[in-house]
Amino acid sequence: SQSRILPPSILPKNDSSIPRSSVIMQVLDDSINKIRDVYDRIVIPPVKEIGLKQVLLDRISELTKKTPIKVEVRSYDKEIDNLEEYYLFILYRICNEIITNAFIYSNSKKISMSLVKRYADISIGIEDNGIGFGGKISSWKGGLVKCFLTIDQLGGTMDIITAPGKGCMFIARIPYGVKYSDILDKINNGGGIS
């Protein structure tokens, strides 16, 4: 009696020139990488303990292991680290989504980022020199839509300046220090932040 480790439906068609054990190892490696990606998306990073900038740099370091792209932090206002943890986490989720999208889809050689406090707002700027895209809201996928909805729920604005072959610039302005109770009120009144 034989037992199968993996169902044949997830294995590529048998190519006799490649040993089956190599194919199984590749499928296993791909699966592990997918699990890591899911973990990276759901884990709550220690933004309050080590600071938002460092958490973002750690995430960028992980991304550059898979896709070597030069990332430059143009400016970062340390006053942002004084915000409450939930707010830092929201900022992290927004930046992580945009940066991850740039790594996955842009085919860029360089990404630049800035997070600064200006008057009563936090300004997030993330730019790449990649392939760009049409930019129409109807072409946005899940993560980008969630960023837009989150920023909107916080009372902020989000702009994406892009065109095919021209790179992409993401700009968000979010009111500085929105209170947790205000966010809960918005969620309870039919809005949502994911």
Side-chain angles (χ1 to χ4, degrees):
S1 158
Q2 286 185 324
S3 62
R4 278 200 175 140
I5 296 172
L6 298 171
S9 62
I10 67 167
L11 295 175
K13 294 206 183 230
N14 194 8
D15 181 348
S16 60
S17 67
I18 302 172
R20 188 147 176 93
S21 61
S22 294
V23 172
I24 291 172
M25 287 306 297
Q26 183 61 48
V27 169
L28 191 56
D29 284 344
D30 291 346
S31 297
I32 289 169
N33 286 332
K34 286 178 183 175
I35 289 169
R36 282 186 183 141
D37 287 343
V38 168
Y39 175 79
D40 287 341
R41 290 181 183 269
I42 62 171
V43 71
I44 298 174
V47 290
K48 197 64 176 172
E49 292 80 10
I50 64 173
L52 179 59
K53 180 180 179 181
Q54 187 59 52
V55 170
L56 287 168
L57 290 173
D58 291 348
R59 176 65 178 139
I60 289 165
S61 176
E62 285 298 311
L63 291 167
T64 56
K65 288 177 186 175
K66 296 177 190 173
T67 310
I69 297 176
K70 181 181 179 195
V71 179
E72 171 190 25
V73 179
R74 286 189 186 160
S75 56
Y76 182 84
D77 191 335
K78 289 185 178 242
E79 192 175 339
I80 291 170
D81 288 330
N82 295 328
L83 291 167
E84 292 185 44
E85 187 171 17
Y86 74 90
Y87 198 88
L88 291 170
F89 182 66
I90 290 170
L91 294 174
Y92 167 78
R93 297 296 286 188
I94 292 166
C95 293
N96 181 51
E97 182 64 36
I98 302 305
I99 291 167
T100 301
N101 282 353
F103 269 87
I104 293 171
Y105 302 114
S106 75
N107 292 331
S108 69
K109 302 289 185 232
K110 182 179 177 186
I111 299 170
S112 61
M113 174 180 75
S114 65
L115 277 104
V116 293
K117 181 180 179 287
R118 293 212 168 101
Y119 306 106
D121 292 337
I122 293 175
S123 178
I124 302 170
I126 301 172
E127 183 176 0
D128 68 62
N129 64 354
I131 60 173
F133 63 98
K136 293 181 182 175
I137 292 176
S138 62
S139 70
W140 292 4
K141 303 292 183 212
L144 202 51
V145 171
K146 286 180 183 177
C147 284
F148 176 79
L149 293 173
T150 300
I151 292 165
D152 184 62
Q153 288 296 314
L154 292 171
T157 61
M158 178 176 122
D159 296 304
I160 296 177
I161 302 165
T162 185
K166 302 289 184 184
C168 185
M169 182 185 298
F170 169 88
I171 303 166
R173 287 170 204 82
I174 304 167
Y176 185 77
V178 175
K179 293 183 177 141
Y180 188 62
S181 59
D182 293 343
I183 293 172
L184 289 177
D185 287 345
K186 286 183 180 189
I187 292 170
N188 291 330
N189 291 321
I193 297 175
S194 55

XYZ file of all heavy atoms in Angstrom, residues 69-105:
325
model
N 15.251 45.811 -4.860
C 14.897 47.161 -5.285
C 15.509 48.120 -4.264
O 15.439 47.877 -3.062
C 13.364 47.375 -5.335
C 12.719 46.443 -6.365
C 13.022 48.828 -5.644
C 11.192 46.528 -6.404
N 16.073 49.201 -4.739
C 16.623 50.208 -3.828
C 15.467 51.003 -3.234
O 14.615 51.520 -3.959
C 17.576 51.136 -4.579
C 18.191 52.173 -3.676
C 19.118 53.101 -4.413
C 19.641 54.111 -3.409
N 20.256 55.233 -3.995
N 15.451 51.110 -1.905
C 14.411 51.873 -1.224
C 15.076 52.982 -0.422
O 16.011 52.753 0.327
C 13.573 50.981 -0.286
C 12.509 51.808 0.428
C 12.930 49.836 -1.065
N 14.555 54.184 -0.608
C 15.096 55.362 0.061
C 14.009 55.982 0.939
O 12.888 56.184 0.483
C 15.545 56.372 -0.998
C 15.922 57.720 -0.459
C 16.130 58.744 -1.570
O 15.557 58.601 -2.669
O 16.865 59.703 -1.302
N 14.351 56.219 2.202
C 13.451 56.962 3.077
C 13.893 58.416 3.002
O 14.928 58.786 3.553
C 13.499 56.438 4.532
C 12.573 57.256 5.415
C 13.128 54.959 4.576
N 13.135 59.207 2.269
C 13.508 60.616 2.071
C 13.396 61.414 3.350
O 14.259 62.206 3.685
C 12.631 61.257 0.997
C 12.971 60.821 -0.388
C 12.209 61.661 -1.379
N 12.422 61.164 -2.724
C 11.629 61.425 -3.720
N 10.570 62.186 -3.553
N 11.887 60.946 -4.914
N 12.277 61.242 4.050
C 12.106 61.970 5.304
C 11.142 61.202 6.201
O 10.235 60.518 5.726
C 11.600 63.391 5.059
O 10.412 63.370 4.322
N 11.400 61.316 7.489
C 10.551 60.680 8.486
C 10.522 61.582 9.712
O 11.563 61.924 10.262
C 11.084 59.293 8.867
C 10.186 58.592 9.861
C 9.074 57.893 9.422
C 10.422 58.670 11.224
C 8.224 57.269 10.317
C 9.584 58.054 12.128
C 8.482 57.351 11.667
O 7.641 56.745 12.560
N 9.341 61.959 10.125
C 9.168 62.834 11.282
C 9.023 61.965 12.533
O 8.041 61.240 12.683
C 7.919 63.694 11.071
C 7.792 64.805 12.084
O 8.339 64.678 13.194
O 7.133 65.808 11.754
N 10.007 62.042 13.426
C 10.013 61.217 14.635
C 8.808 61.488 15.536
O 8.442 60.646 16.352
C 11.307 61.412 15.415
C 12.499 60.787 14.730
C 13.733 60.911 15.604
C 14.890 60.249 14.920
N 15.411 59.137 15.667
N 8.184 62.633 15.385
C 7.005 62.947 16.195
C 5.865 61.953 15.935
O 5.024 61.722 16.799
C 6.541 64.382 15.904
C 5.517 64.888 16.877
C 5.155 66.345 16.649
O 5.937 67.075 16.016
O 4.082 66.745 17.122
N 5.867 61.329 14.761
C 4.853 60.332 14.427
C 4.883 59.179 15.422
O 3.846 58.624 15.787
C 5.051 59.832 12.971
C 4.715 60.962 11.988
C 4.208 58.601 12.682
C 5.092 60.677 10.558
N 6.072 58.821 15.916
C 6.196 57.703 16.849
C 5.532 57.965 18.196
O 5.377 57.042 18.998
C 7.665 57.329 17.056
C 8.244 56.645 15.833
O 7.491 55.962 15.108
O 9.454 56.794 15.594
N 5.108 59.212 18.455
C 4.413 59.535 19.696
C 2.919 59.227 19.628
O 2.216 59.344 20.633
C 4.605 61.008 20.059
C 6.054 61.324 20.368
O 6.794 60.478 20.882
N 6.476 62.522 20.035
N 2.438 58.845 18.444
C 1.018 58.524 18.299
C 0.685 57.246 19.059
O 1.555 56.442 19.382
C 0.676 58.341 16.816
C 0.718 59.598 15.968
C 0.676 59.244 14.494
C -0.445 60.513 16.329
N -0.611 57.034 19.301
C -1.051 55.808 19.953
C -0.774 54.613 19.048
O -0.720 54.740 17.823
C -2.535 55.892 20.274
C -2.836 56.924 21.360
C -4.294 56.927 21.756
O -4.876 55.847 21.925
O -4.843 58.039 21.889
N -0.633 53.452 19.669
C -0.231 52.246 18.941
C -1.198 51.877 17.815
O -0.776 51.517 16.721
C -0.080 51.067 19.900
C 0.494 49.834 19.245
C 0.839 48.755 20.240
O 0.360 48.795 21.388
O 1.602 47.868 19.856
N -2.505 51.967 18.069
C -3.469 51.611 17.028
C -3.276 52.485 15.787
O -3.404 52.023 14.667
C -4.915 51.730 17.539
C -5.381 53.158 17.674
C -6.003 53.801 16.605
C -5.158 53.883 18.833
C -6.394 55.125 16.711
C -5.552 55.194 18.937
C -6.168 55.810 17.876
O -6.545 57.121 17.966
N -2.967 53.768 15.992
C -2.801 54.699 14.880
C -1.527 54.368 14.110
O -1.508 54.368 12.879
C -2.757 56.133 15.419
C -3.013 57.187 14.379
C -4.304 57.595 14.089
C -1.968 57.773 13.677
C -4.543 58.575 13.145
C -2.207 58.755 12.731
C -3.489 59.142 12.472
O -3.724 60.097 11.530
N -0.462 54.054 14.853
C 0.794 53.643 14.198
C 0.573 52.382 13.382
O 1.106 52.233 12.275
C 1.890 53.410 15.240
C 2.413 54.651 15.956
C 3.310 54.249 17.117
C 3.139 55.565 14.986
N -0.210 51.464 13.933
C -0.480 50.221 13.213
C -1.259 50.484 11.919
O -0.962 49.895 10.881
C -1.240 49.232 14.107
C -1.509 47.925 13.435
C -0.470 47.073 13.092
C -2.800 47.558 13.124
C -0.717 45.876 12.453
C -3.060 46.357 12.490
C -2.017 45.508 12.154
N -2.220 51.391 11.970
C -2.966 51.747 10.755
C -2.019 52.343 9.714
O -2.066 51.992 8.528
C -4.135 52.711 11.076
C -5.225 51.980 11.854
C -4.711 53.319 9.801
C -6.300 52.888 12.434
N -1.142 53.250 10.153
C -0.163 53.840 9.228
C 0.747 52.757 8.646
O 1.060 52.763 7.449
C 0.677 54.908 9.931
C -0.070 56.164 10.377
C 0.854 57.063 11.186
C -0.644 56.908 9.188
N 1.159 51.818 9.495
C 1.986 50.707 9.011
C 1.247 49.909 7.941
O 1.812 49.593 6.886
C 2.390 49.774 10.165
C 2.964 48.473 9.661
C 4.276 48.411 9.186
C 2.193 47.322 9.601
C 4.797 47.233 8.683
C 2.707 46.142 9.101
C 4.010 46.100 8.645
O 4.510 44.942 8.121
N -0.014 49.563 8.192
C -0.778 48.747 7.241
C -0.904 49.462 5.887
O -0.789 48.838 4.839
C -2.163 48.413 7.801
C -2.158 47.591 9.061
C -1.586 46.240 8.877
N -2.523 45.416 8.153
C -2.382 44.128 7.955
N -1.345 43.510 8.439
N -3.257 43.448 7.279
N -1.137 50.762 5.923
C -1.254 51.528 4.672
C 0.078 51.518 3.936
O 0.143 51.179 2.744
C -1.716 52.975 4.960
C -3.165 52.983 5.464
C -1.565 53.851 3.712
C -3.603 54.302 6.080
N 1.155 51.877 4.625
C 2.478 51.916 3.981
C 2.897 50.540 3.489
O 3.431 50.398 2.384
C 3.525 52.464 4.948
S 3.298 54.197 5.358
N 2.664 49.522 4.312
C 3.030 48.162 3.921
C 2.307 47.738 2.646
O 2.909 47.142 1.750
C 2.730 47.185 5.061
C 3.116 45.769 4.706
O 4.237 45.494 4.275
N 2.178 44.854 4.886
N 1.041 48.043 2.547
C 0.272 47.660 1.351
C 0.836 48.326 0.098
O 1.046 47.674 -0.926
C -1.200 48.041 1.527
C -2.069 47.645 0.354
C -2.161 46.147 0.147
O -2.179 45.384 1.129
O -2.221 45.713 -1.027
N 1.097 49.612 0.182
C 1.580 50.343 -0.990
C 2.998 49.890 -1.361
O 3.303 49.671 -2.537
C 1.533 51.873 -0.738
C 0.096 52.321 -0.406
C 2.099 52.638 -1.919
C -0.952 51.948 -1.435
N 3.858 49.740 -0.364
C 5.233 49.308 -0.641
C 5.251 47.886 -1.204
O 5.956 47.607 -2.174
C 6.092 49.416 0.637
C 6.310 50.891 0.990
C 7.432 48.707 0.462
C 6.877 51.112 2.381
N 4.462 46.996 -0.611
C 4.398 45.617 -1.105
C 3.896 45.586 -2.538
O 4.441 44.859 -3.381
C 3.514 44.753 -0.185
O 4.064 44.770 1.141
C 3.438 43.318 -0.673
N 2.875 46.377 -2.848
C 2.384 46.452 -4.233
C 3.487 46.914 -5.181
O 3.616 46.386 -6.289
C 1.190 47.403 -4.336
C -0.088 46.777 -3.852
O -0.158 45.591 -3.549
N -1.119 47.586 -3.726
N 4.264 47.891 -4.750
C 5.360 48.384 -5.603
C 6.381 47.271 -5.859
O 6.856 47.112 -6.985
C 6.027 49.596 -4.960
N 6.696 46.500 -4.830
C 7.637 45.395 -5.007
C 7.084 44.325 -5.947
O 7.802 43.795 -6.780
C 7.985 44.752 -3.657
C 9.179 45.358 -2.990
C 9.041 46.465 -2.178
C 10.440 44.820 -3.173
C 10.140 47.040 -1.553
C 11.549 45.379 -2.553
C 11.397 46.492 -1.748
N 5.809 44.027 -5.812
C 5.220 42.930 -6.588
C 4.916 43.335 -8.027
O 5.188 42.580 -8.959
C 3.935 42.420 -5.895
C 4.289 41.764 -4.559
C 3.188 41.431 -6.793
C 3.078 41.431 -3.704
N 4.340 44.526 -8.233
C 3.769 44.858 -9.531
C 4.526 45.890 -10.355
O 4.325 45.990 -11.556
C 2.326 45.368 -9.354
C 1.422 44.384 -8.661
C 0.895 44.656 -7.406
C 1.098 43.171 -9.260
C 0.062 43.750 -6.762
C 0.276 42.265 -8.630
C -0.242 42.556 -7.378
O -1.050 41.654 -6.747
